[in-house]
Amino acid sequence: MMKHFIALVLLLFSFLGVHCQEVIPFPNHYEQREGVSIVPKVITVSAQSGEFGSLIPGFVETLENFSLRAKKTEKKGWIQLVRNAVCHNPEEYRLTVSPAGILIEAGCANGCFYGLQSAFQLINSAGAGGSIPCAVIRDVPRYGWRGLMLDESRHFIGKAEVKKLLDLMALHKLNKFHWHLTDSQGWRIEIKRYPLLTSVGATGNLTDPDAPAQYYTRDEIAEIVQYAADRFIEVIPEIDMPGHATAAVKAYPEFSGGGSKQYPNFTFNPGKEGTYTFLTDILKEITALFPSKYIHIGGDEVHFGNEQWNRLPEIGDLMKRERLSDLVAVEHYFLNRMSDSIRILNKTVIGWDEVVTAGLPVSNTVVMWWRQERPEQLEKAISKSYEIVLCPRLPLYLDFVQHPSHKYGRKWSKGEYAPMEKVYHFPGMSYTSGISVDTPLIKGIQGNVWTEVIHTPERLQFMVYPRMSALAEAAWTQDRLKNYENFNMRMEKMMEIFKKYGIVFFDYKNPDSTPEVAGPERR
Ligand code: ACM
């Protein structure tokens, strides 16, 4: 019955020609005009500037993958890309559909690229010979930071799937790929100066401690950074410290600060000068590999495994010398030392919300608020004027299950999980314990994909899609224009796109039709 109703509404919308209804994330301004444009059998695309012209081959390839014929032309195309000074925000674009075709105007290549993503969805929905209603879209994102984080330490997912993720992020106008490359279960990035980090530190994963080394070489990192840049996605590396360091100190035990019973060798050693040299050398190589102005240094959950700091004489000496009263002060000392190194490398620090009390410089630090049960961390970050990215576990950790029937994946206390609808409505006040996030300090939002319960590309896809679409609309579209029912209708086309990409996604409207892709079984 419900299905028939939705089909009827969809039919009505297509009859009215409201094809803007096909775009995800929903544009921030849409005006329908008289008439329609018929999608030609061969879609020609032209650009006024070389920079915009360089976007055409990728666009043509995407259309062809969707069985639409397209080619670049030096004459005026059915799609024209025009540089126009009206755009003040680099990501802004204007898209005009007229009987003659589609005009995309932007001030910068980012905006033009996003105009093409919207055009792709309009054209794909109409099909060759189909009609698109005449309209003007003027679009600019709600947030400048529209991120997705992938943890490749717990389980290594690999280059092919990362590229697919970047393709889909680009289609959704997501622009930050936060890459969690190191953690206790594996160090996943080649560092020339310290080869044991990969030959020893990259062996094993969460389910198989004996798995052969898996990591990205420097060339592969460069390849992925370029692949992302071609899609206007910035890659932000995370090198987690001083906790979550087990894999690194397995390779270089001289820098271990020990751990606790449950988390042995969990930390770096903040009492040794050599630790700072070691980590700064690593960050120098990271700086050379990643053009992003940010380096994420983690800073989370140090208390899980810093018990042994109490017993290390060099830490006792450090506490005396620097007048540090307790282990939290030691942790903050460490974070400040690393923050200084990063500032000298001309980069900005990002840290998880534990860092808000560390006294890091406000002008050079971004805080990621992740603990929804600790709203005071968000409050402190705002009151200290830190820039903030919102990524609370609930609802933005995509390793939490998305349906109550799902057996694998995380749930919070009382069985709370992260369904599509909650992701979509983020960041409403109910998610922030009433703290207003209506401040320019909020740079944006991010979904995080931890991989303790994700071990294969198929399982990753099942957890990421379709929630990526809800995340994208939450990040791009102004609250007053968001409408979950309307979004659900637009998801029909998006799910067809997922199918074309060969993605194993969760059909959230028909939960019984998609069996859960199983998570890892612990050995
Ligand atoms: C985190 O989830 N430990 C940032």
Side-chain angles (χ1 to χ4, degrees):
M1 181 68 191
M2 191 61 192
K3 262 190 188 161
H4 289 140
F5 176 70
I6 292 173
L8 194 70
V9 174
L10 276 172
L11 191 72
L12 188 65
F13 271 114
S14 62
F15 178 68
L16 292 172
V18 190
H19 278 251
C20 176
Q21 306 289 345
E22 311 297 6
V23 179
I24 291 177
F26 195 76
N28 280 301
H29 178 91
Y30 174 83
E31 253 174 72
Q32 195 160 334
R33 299 275 163 90
E34 290 263 303
V36 292
S37 195
I38 305 296
V39 178
K41 293 273 179 284
V42 179
I43 298 162
T44 53
V45 194
S46 63
Q48 217 185 26
S49 81
E51 197 189 3
F52 287 12
S54 67
L55 303 176
I56 297 176
F59 179 67
V60 165
E61 195 185 320
T62 306
L63 287 177
E64 283 176 345
N65 288 340
F66 279 74
S67 315
L68 291 152
R69 292 179 59 206
K71 64 174 191 200
K72 185 172 181 175
T73 175
E74 298 307 318
K75 296 190 220 132
K76 233 183 203 181
W78 184 73
I79 299 179
Q80 291 177 60
L81 311 181
V82 172
R83 190 182 284 280
N84 186 329
V86 293
C87 302
H88 303 298
N89 178 324
E91 298 191 304
E92 183 172 357
Y93 71 94
R94 182 194 286 231
L95 186 155
T96 308
V97 184
S98 70
I102 295 180
L103 171 67
I104 295 173
E105 297 166 277
C108 295
N110 313 42
C112 185
F113 182 77
Y114 291 146
L116 284 170
Q117 303 315 307
S118 296
F120 162 69
Q121 292 186 49
L122 293 170
I123 293 165
N124 183 49
S125 292
S131 64
I132 305 175
C134 292
V136 176
I137 292 175
R138 268 186 277 118
D139 209 5
V140 64
R142 176 179 186 186
Y143 291 120
W145 188 291
R146 303 180 301 282
L148 192 78
M149 187 220 78
L150 177 65
D151 163 17
E152 291 217 66
S153 173
R154 274 54 181 261
H155 289 104
F156 186 79
I157 303 296
K159 191 169 75 171
E161 192 58 30
V162 167
K163 285 187 171 175
K164 198 171 226 181
L165 195 67
L166 292 167
D167 285 340
L168 272 292
M169 282 177 70
L171 173 69
H172 284 87
K173 305 187 177 86
L174 295 173
N175 65 353
K176 309 283 179 201
F177 177 55
H178 166 181
W179 210 358
H180 187 81
L181 285 163
T182 73
D183 210 300
S184 296
Q185 289 75 11
W187 182 280
R188 306 294 181 206
I189 177 167
E190 179 188 19
I191 300 292
K192 256 194 327 206
R193 189 159 184 162
Y194 298 106
L196 301 182
L197 282 172
T198 41
S199 62
V200 175
T203 57
N205 59 46
L206 192 117
T207 42
D208 180 5
D210 301 320
Q214 284 185 299
Y215 62 93
Y216 290 101
T217 64
R218 292 162 58 83
D219 285 348
E220 286 170 325
I221 294 280
E223 181 185 332
I224 287 176
V225 166
Q226 187 57 51
Y227 193 87
D230 290 344
R231 287 152 184 77
F232 299 90
I233 297 170
E234 181 179 335
V235 183
I236 295 105
E238 181 182 350
I239 306 296
D240 207 344
M241 60 183 79
H244 293 275
T246 315
V249 300
K250 180 168 80 172
Y252 292 93
E254 60 271 40
F255 304 121
S256 174
S260 59
K261 204 161 169 212
Q262 199 184 349
Y263 298 95
N265 282 314
F266 185 69
T267 68
F268 291 113
N269 186 338
K272 281 191 177 169
E273 265 319 292
T275 304
Y276 299 100
T277 311
F278 171 67
L279 290 172
T280 302
D281 285 345
I282 290 171
L283 294 184
K284 278 185 193 153
E285 291 196 28
I286 295 290
T287 296
L289 283 169
F290 294 90
S292 168
K293 79 171 196 178
Y294 301 104
I295 294 184
H296 199 308
I297 57 166
D300 56 323
E301 298 175 324
V302 182
H303 64 279
F304 277 8
N306 64 352
E307 218 174 275
Q308 220 169 320
W309 289 5
N310 284 311
R311 294 190 288 279
L312 294 177
E314 62 273 24
I315 294 189
D317 292 346
L318 171 76
M319 290 174 79
K320 260 191 235 130
R321 197 172 66 242
E322 298 292 334
R323 300 208 175 112
L324 307 173
S325 56
D326 56 21
L327 294 192
V328 173
V330 173
E331 181 181 328
H332 291 172
Y333 171 85
F334 171 92
L335 289 171
N336 276 278
R337 288 282 304 265
M338 294 317 301
S339 160
D340 287 347
S341 289
I342 288 174
R343 191 169 29 78
I344 291 163
L345 293 170
N346 268 325
K347 299 276 183 179
T348 298
V349 171
I350 305 183
W352 299 109
D353 66 39
E354 283 88 338
V355 305
V356 289
T357 45
L360 301 183
V362 166
S363 59
N364 206 47
T365 309
V366 174
V367 173
M368 285 194 166
W369 180 60
W370 67 280
R371 292 178 292 179
Q372 81 288 342
E373 80 285 13
R374 300 283 303 266
E376 69 278 12
Q377 296 302 101
L378 172 61
E379 206 157 30
K380 277 184 209 154
I382 294 174
S383 72
K384 292 177 189 219
S385 299
Y386 282 112
E387 288 195 308
I388 300 156
V389 174
L390 303 170
C391 52
R393 269 185 293 230
L394 287 172
L396 296 188
Y397 274 22
L398 304 187
D399 51 320
F400 274 69
V401 304
Q402 51 198 322
H403 192 269
S405 69
H406 290 169
K407 291 206 304 280
Y408 298 89
R410 293 166 73 187
K411 287 185 186 157
W412 194 241
S413 59
K414 299 195 199 116
E416 271 184 285
Y417 59 103
M420 186 82 163
E421 185 166 3
K422 288 204 169 163
V423 177
Y424 185 81
H425 288 302
F426 191 81
M429 287 283 254
S430 61
Y431 297 108
T432 54
S433 303
I435 298 168
S436 168
V437 288
D438 190 16
T439 149
L441 291 170
I442 306 295
K443 289 173 78 65
I445 70 172
Q446 179 170 293
N448 292 339
V449 187
W450 300 99
T451 54
E452 285 95 335
V453 291
I454 297 174
H455 61 316
T456 61
E458 292 70 30
R459 169 95 181 129
L460 177 80
Q461 292 175 5
F462 185 78
M463 297 305 271
V464 170
Y465 309 102
R467 286 182 291 185
M468 179 191 278
S469 307
L471 173 73
E473 193 145 312
W476 182 278
T477 309
Q478 296 293 341
D479 248 346
R480 67 190 153 74
L481 295 169
K482 279 164 62 180
N483 177 315
Y484 191 59
E485 282 67 43
N486 175 284
F487 170 76
N488 282 330
M489 288 194 286
R490 283 176 285 127
M491 276 310 293
E492 292 296 325
K493 285 285 173 199
M494 186 54 87
M495 289 195 281
E496 278 174 29
I497 292 176
F498 293 157
K499 275 187 204 149
K500 264 269 180 19
Y501 270 99
I503 286 172
V504 181
F505 64 93
F506 174 55
D507 184 348
Y508 69 111
K509 296 188 199 177
N510 302 293
D512 298 336
S513 73
T514 33
E516 182 180 15
V517 176
E521 305 291 348
R522 293 203 182 216
R523 291 203 189 152

